[in-house]
Amino acid sequence: VQLVESGGGLVQAGESLRLSCAASGLSFGAYAIGWFRQAPGKEREGVSCVTSSGKTTYWADSMKDRFTAVRDSASNTVFLQMNKLKPEDTAVYYCAAVPRWCYSAVGAWDDWGQGTQVTVSS
């Protein structure tokens, strides 16, 4: 399984970014794909997840109204659209894969990408 994140960068508060997670080496339609983030000195936390059937979960209310996760089976890619970014969104963003269902526990996920840095300046 290989997961490759892209789309991170440096933006100002209020701007948007779209992250991509390209998956290979797995039966994409049978896997849930999750987005997580880790800020310096903090634990990795769940952002969003799309199940194998396309149901989306957001694990924090602060992201629910600003972030949207969508999976594209044609390209084996999951996108995370992030709008109205805030300085507290600064982190390394990772995608992960696990069969079928979404789990909020980091340890439940089998495979991880290398991460992409998102930095939001005030």
Side-chain angles (χ1 to χ4, degrees):
V1 176
Q2 185 175 20
L3 302 170
V4 180
E5 302 95 335
S6 61
L10 172 63
V11 297
Q12 293 187 336
E15 294 185 338
S16 300
L17 280 174
R18 188 178 78 156
L19 305 184
S20 301
C21 173
S24 60
L26 76 170
S27 180
F28 186 73
Y31 277 73
I33 304 294
W35 283 101
F36 296 79
R37 68 185 187 183
Q38 188 166 19
K42 295 188 177 181
E43 294 185 351
R44 193 168 298 188
E45 63 175 350
V47 174
S48 179
C49 175
V50 186
T51 67
S52 59
S53 61
K55 181 180 178 181
T56 304
T57 298
Y58 300 95
W59 284 310
D61 289 341
S62 64
M63 306 174 203
K64 188 178 301 184
D65 295 331
R66 300 184 295 120
F67 293 2
T68 302
V70 176
R71 67 189 291 150
D72 177 21
S73 296
S75 63
N76 285 7
T77 302
V78 175
F79 301 98
L80 182 67
Q81 178 67 41
M82 305 187 296
N83 299 326
K84 299 178 182 179
L85 284 162
K86 304 175 181 180
E88 52 263 42
D89 294 318
T90 295
V92 178
Y93 284 70
Y94 300 89
C95 64
V98 72
R100 295 189 68 189
W101 305 115
C102 296
Y103 303 92
S104 59
V106 170
W109 294 79
D110 297 330
D111 299 284
W112 293 83
Q114 83 289 348
T116 186
Q117 176 71 47
V118 172
T119 303
V120 185
S121 63
S122 58

